[in-house]
Amino acid sequence: RRPRQAGRSDAAAIQLRNALQQNPDNWDARRLIGQIYLASGDPGSAEVHLRRAYDARHTVDSELLLARALIGLRRFQDALDLMTGDSGEPAQQQERQLLRADAYLGLNRPDDADRVLHAVLAQDATSLPARYGLARSAVARGDLQAAGQILTSVLADDPSLLNAWLLQAEVDLRTNRVEDALDALQHAEATGHPDGRIWRMRAQAQL
């Protein structure tokens, strides 16, 4: 997180924790604090609050947030078991499909991920998350050429996608294109999202 954003999030979390001390059954506060923990990279703390919010009120929003926390904890099958329905607004249905694809990729089931991602693209052919997911799936299958082609298209449409640049760097390293990998990592750093993976991959490229 950037310092100013982190300060605002920490202040909001304090206010929400105070609200929960006064009323532990404030499920909106639990959902919001869970979102803050997710955004700050703490899926474990997020899962605690989001599980209680979901158990109290089985809304589509709370389901998707809890699934995101479970995926962050690498509990991929638990996330899939949670997302058994297809209810919600079109945007929520699409988010559920993308989360399912994330879980399938976590379980090393790229064919199932592809099936879900192509269903998303059938409804929204320009979906960047779905196209990025297909690149991840191609990497999982070992088809690095296809992954590179997809990533070139994705990054041309939105060069601010940190994870896409990092995946591009991974593809370049695995195909022994070290200079291209370092260039991709420079672009990743330029997105302005501090991430330890940048430094680890840069060290790996320079070995």
Side-chain angles (χ1 to χ4, degrees):
R1 290 181 296 170
R2 299 176 186 178
R4 186 173 299 174
Q5 292 173 330
R8 286 198 295 265
S9 295
D10 291 341
I14 291 170
Q15 291 179 336
L16 290 166
R17 282 195 292 268
N18 289 338
L20 288 171
Q21 285 181 344
Q22 296 173 14
N23 178 12
D25 294 333
N26 186 334
W27 308 118
D28 288 331
R30 288 207 180 276
R31 177 178 56 80
L32 288 170
I33 200 170
Q35 287 179 281
I36 289 173
Y37 280 128
L38 275 179
S40 67
D42 186 356
S45 297
E47 194 265 344
V48 171
H49 292 282
L50 294 172
R51 172 69 67 184
R52 292 186 65 177
Y54 176 75
D55 287 345
R57 293 191 303 193
H58 284 54
T59 65
V60 174
D61 184 49
S62 63
E63 170 200 322
L64 298 177
L65 287 168
L66 179 55
R68 192 173 296 280
L70 292 170
I71 289 170
L73 292 168
R74 304 187 63 80
R75 290 166 53 186
F76 303 116
Q77 189 60 55
D78 287 344
L80 287 172
D81 292 342
L82 178 70
M83 298 182 290
T84 56
D86 292 303
S87 60
E89 299 296 323
Q92 292 173 317
Q93 293 174 13
Q94 183 178 109
E95 182 180 356
R96 184 185 288 111
Q97 291 287 71
L98 292 170
L99 288 170
R100 282 173 175 155
D102 276 349
Y104 283 133
L105 287 170
L107 293 169
N108 196 27
R109 293 165 57 181
D111 290 342
D112 288 322
D114 280 356
R115 171 177 52 79
V116 172
L117 293 167
H118 282 300
V120 172
L121 289 168
Q123 300 295 321
D124 179 6
T126 64
S127 170
L128 287 171
R131 289 156 60 197
Y132 167 70
L134 286 177
R136 288 180 60 203
S137 184
V139 169
R141 291 196 310 274
D143 191 347
L144 301 182
Q145 182 177 0
Q149 291 172 345
I150 296 168
L151 287 168
T152 296
S153 172
V154 167
L155 289 166
D157 286 347
D158 187 350
S160 71
L161 297 176
L162 169 66
N163 285 331
W165 283 117
L166 291 174
L167 189 61
Q168 180 65 67
E170 178 184 341
V171 169
D172 291 335
L173 285 175
R174 289 175 61 175
T175 52
N176 298 313
R177 298 199 305 270
V178 176
E179 292 301 319
D180 289 341
L182 291 171
D183 182 65
L185 291 171
Q186 186 173 350
H187 282 289
E189 189 173 7
T191 64
H193 302 288
D195 193 300
R197 291 174 296 174
I198 298 173
W199 319 118
R200 289 195 295 271
M201 293 182 74
R202 184 170 284 151
Q204 180 183 353
Q206 294 173 336
L207 289 176

